[in-house]
Amino acid sequence: MARDMIRDILAREKPGGPVTVQGWARTVRAQKHVIFMQLNDGSCLADLQAVVAEDHPDFAALRVIGAGAALEVTGELAESAGKGQRFEIMADQITVHGDADPTAYPLQKKRVSFEVMREKLAHLRPRAKTFGAVFRVRNALSHAIHTFFQDRGFVWVHTPIITASDAEGAGEMFRVTTLDPVAPPRTQAGDVDFGKDFFARPTFLTVSGQLEAELYALALSNVYTFGPTFRAENSNTSRHLAEFWMVEPEVAFCDIHGNMDLAEAFLKHLFRTVLDDCAEDMAFFNQWIEKSTCKTLEHIVESPFERLTYTEAVDLLERSGEKFEYPVSWGKDLQSEHERYLCEKKIGRPVIVTDYPKDIKAFYMRLNDDAKTVRGMDVLVPRLGEIIGGSQREDRLDVLERRIDECGLDPSHYWWYFDTRRFGSVEHAGFGLGFERLVQFVTGMANIRDVIPFPRTPNNADY
Ligand code: 4AD
Ligand code: MG
């Protein structure tokens, strides 16, 4: 018999008819005359209860099935008398595909902390309710990202993961090499000779697909990349990963204002989509994880984002009378406590901060006429702070070369990037949305490590 997914069964209007469910038992409760099995197949948050009556030929054997077992149950779909469930299956045929030892299965009824799930049970945690919900929402968000851009004619460009250039110029890259770490080849001067390495040059995992996306935007007009990026920064916070996914649109013939409009429309589309398409999972997050998440998302979808320059933001922060751990002054980067204050207390909505001092931003941002600030933009949201970072790009070759020099970067690594400013340069802009920060914000999960299947952070790549 064909398999019925639990989500589809629960969407039915009426009970009746035989169904076949394949899934894992969340719990098995053997009573004297009946066994109740809560089955989940991952298609939705809700379980479907299978009821095994005393006259079932395997009643005795089925009593000792453990939570976690993989089962296939065929039977009549009946109205359920149980609280909070409309239907149940009156089990007729039951196949135990793989039993699970109830004394050893770690996801028994008692609550296991997210920390233990992450550190010791990352291989089993997708079976836990919260994680099933997180990864369904994560999937819905990736789909919505593609839909948003594809509907607007953007071309998805697959930018490389291995690269020879530092897209952010911050020197936070993981090296990619096949050289022998114990006895690498050496130059006459005694340095490691990367000329003998696989790519005949030093190579790294990319920190961003932006520079390559720019090249494609300057030909295909509207493009985006969506892929893994890597940062070897030693940040042990609830918002940083060493490996994370980033969505980076890049648009030619576009300035920072068009870029802000795109970012705002994009986030609103994503929030609207999860509220509409993931209602069951979102209700779960709203009840158990973060009581304000749905209300916050609804509010954001309905209201315009505030737009402030960095100078105005610093002014607001200085005059706020708040006691911050890191004091604010013009020229210093905003910390997440400052970003959160602006969104949560001062403005009460997402805020886009623009025109940052050039010294705290990357080399590629367009220099303003004041020669002190650049056309960067960060989108800040409540609870999290920065969710998007972007800018209008420096499209003037001479200024770009000067900025590369000022930033102490090697211009020979960027010769191809300069060429786009030499041939048909035009104003263009783009941004990067940290995909896990997005999932974190939407679900209300406190730690970014709990919204990516296998988190990579300092001292942790166990799986
Ligand atoms: O602000 P960032 O560093 O900007 C860029 O990489 C640009 N090249 C993007 C562009 O203009 N195309 O990173 C963009 C976003 C941040 O706003 C944040 O959401 C996320 O990526 N991000 C991280 N997420 C998780 N862990 C980290 N270590 C992150 N670093 C940045
Ligand atoms: Mg940033």
Side-chain angles (χ1 to χ4, degrees):
M1 188 178 289
R3 175 186 196 180
D4 299 291
M5 300 307 288
I6 292 176
R7 185 193 47 214
D8 299 332
I9 292 177
L10 295 179
R12 291 187 185 186
E13 280 179 8
K14 305 194 296 280
V19 291
T20 296
V21 168
Q22 298 170 322
W24 293 266
R26 249 197 230 293
T27 57
V28 177
R29 283 179 298 132
Q31 299 182 352
K32 198 152 180 225
H33 303 294
V34 65
I35 310 168
F36 296 109
M37 298 171 170
Q38 292 295 127
L39 299 177
N40 189 277
D41 63 7
S43 63
C44 60
L45 186 80
D47 304 326
L48 187 61
Q49 175 165 279
V51 182
V52 187
E54 198 175 7
D55 58 0
H56 193 283
D58 300 327
F59 190 73
L62 292 171
R63 293 180 69 81
V64 294
I65 291 292
L71 304 173
E72 178 171 329
V73 180
T74 299
E76 185 74 9
L77 188 67
E79 202 133 358
S80 174
K83 233 180 90 198
Q85 53 192 20
R86 289 169 59 220
F87 303 139
E88 61 193 17
I89 312 180
M90 306 313 293
D92 181 11
Q93 285 167 37
I94 301 185
T95 309
V96 181
H97 287 277
D99 200 357
D101 177 355
T103 61
Y105 185 58
L107 297 180
Q108 297 286 358
K109 260 183 284 177
K110 73 174 156 40
R111 255 188 104 103
V112 184
S113 74
F114 288 154
E115 199 174 358
V116 170
M117 292 257 203
R118 182 190 317 137
E119 287 172 7
K120 307 254 186 308
L121 298 172
H123 54 300
L124 290 173
R125 69 178 185 167
R127 300 241 196 120
K129 264 192 169 173
T130 305
F131 291 94
V134 164
F135 292 107
R136 276 187 301 273
V137 167
R138 186 180 163 108
N139 170 65
L141 285 167
S142 10
H143 185 70
I145 285 166
H146 286 296
T147 307
F148 178 86
F149 289 121
Q150 294 294 330
D151 283 353
R152 284 163 183 73
F154 281 62
V155 175
W156 182 18
V157 179
H158 303 94
T159 52
I161 286 176
I162 299 175
T163 176
S165 51
D166 184 349
E168 290 299 306
E172 293 172 331
M173 303 208 288
F174 288 101
R175 187 181 291 283
V176 173
T177 179
T178 53
L179 293 183
D180 179 351
V182 180
R186 304 247 171 215
T187 61
Q188 291 211 312
D191 302 326
V192 174
D193 185 0
F194 288 105
K196 300 227 165 60
D197 204 347
F198 189 91
F199 296 104
R201 65 178 66 234
T203 48
F204 307 88
L205 295 177
T206 191
V207 292
S208 154
Q210 176 196 321
L211 303 191
E212 294 87 351
E214 281 187 56
L215 311 185
Y216 276 74
L218 293 172
L220 303 175
S221 287
N222 301 312
V223 304
Y224 67 108
T225 76
F226 182 13
T229 48
F230 306 86
R231 302 222 173 154
E233 56 182 331
N234 199 3
S235 295
N236 260 306
T237 81
S238 60
R239 297 172 302 113
H240 287 88
L241 290 162
E243 175 179 307
F244 62 100
W245 285 59
M246 209 190 326
V247 191
E248 297 180 273
E250 192 70 34
V251 181
F253 300 93
C254 178
D255 65 8
I256 193 165
H257 302 289
N259 205 30
M260 287 193 275
D261 292 343
L262 182 69
E264 181 170 341
F266 179 48
L267 286 179
K268 286 178 171 174
H269 169 83
L270 299 179
F271 298 159
R272 183 76 265 156
T273 304
V274 282
L275 287 168
D276 292 348
D277 296 357
C278 305
E280 185 192 30
D281 290 325
M282 288 306 296
F284 174 83
F285 292 121
N286 205 60
Q287 183 174 359
W288 298 103
I289 304 296
E290 168 58 59
K291 295 253 182 274
S292 67
T293 187
C294 289
K295 204 172 84 224
T296 304
L297 296 179
E298 288 284 3
H299 176 63
I300 292 178
V301 170
E302 299 302 322
S303 34
F305 292 10
E306 182 74 19
R307 299 178 185 195
L308 292 175
T309 65
Y310 167 88
T311 304
E312 290 166 336
V314 167
D315 193 45
L316 284 178
L317 290 163
E318 280 177 337
R319 289 193 287 112
S320 69
E322 285 284 307
K323 196 106 196 78
F324 294 115
E325 190 185 340
Y326 295 89
V328 206
S329 66
W330 201 98
K332 288 209 189 105
D333 208 355
L334 300 182
Q335 302 293 322
S336 77
E337 55 172 340
H338 309 136
E339 299 174 336
R340 292 187 56 176
Y341 169 82
L342 289 173
C343 292
E344 292 168 16
K345 295 206 181 146
K346 185 73 200 166
I347 316 269
R349 291 176 277 130
V351 177
I352 311 183
V353 178
T354 60
D355 302 286
Y356 285 80
K358 69 176 162 94
D359 295 337
I360 57 171
K361 288 291 182 190
F363 66 88
Y364 52 70
M365 297 192 182
R366 194 179 203 279
L367 190 64
N368 282 319
D369 292 343
D370 64 10
K372 284 196 313 211
T373 58
V374 288
R375 302 241 90 180
M377 55 169 241
D378 280 5
V379 181
L380 317 178
V381 292
R383 286 202 311 273
L384 204 65
E386 177 187 345
I387 193 165
I388 282 179
S391 74
Q392 185 175 328
R393 314 309 187 189
E394 184 52 77
D395 53 322
R396 298 159 297 184
L397 180 62
D398 54 331
V399 184
L400 182 62
E401 285 179 328
R402 219 169 47 235
R403 289 286 294 137
I404 293 252
D405 192 47
E406 270 175 25
C407 295
L409 299 169
D410 182 346
S412 73
H413 294 176
Y414 302 93
W415 64 270
W416 44 275
Y417 189 65
F418 294 140
D419 252 6
T420 54
R421 275 60 176 172
R422 233 172 237 129
F423 308 117
S425 188
V426 67
E427 95 187 337
H428 62 287
F431 61 81
L433 166 68
F435 185 54
E436 285 73 22
R437 294 222 182 143
L438 170 74
V439 182
Q440 198 186 355
F441 181 64
V442 162
T443 58
M445 293 292 284
N447 196 319
I448 197 166
R449 302 168 195 209
D450 295 334
V451 301
I452 186 164
F454 296 96
R456 269 80 182 96
T457 49
N459 300 319
N460 175 39
D462 288 349
Y463 287 87

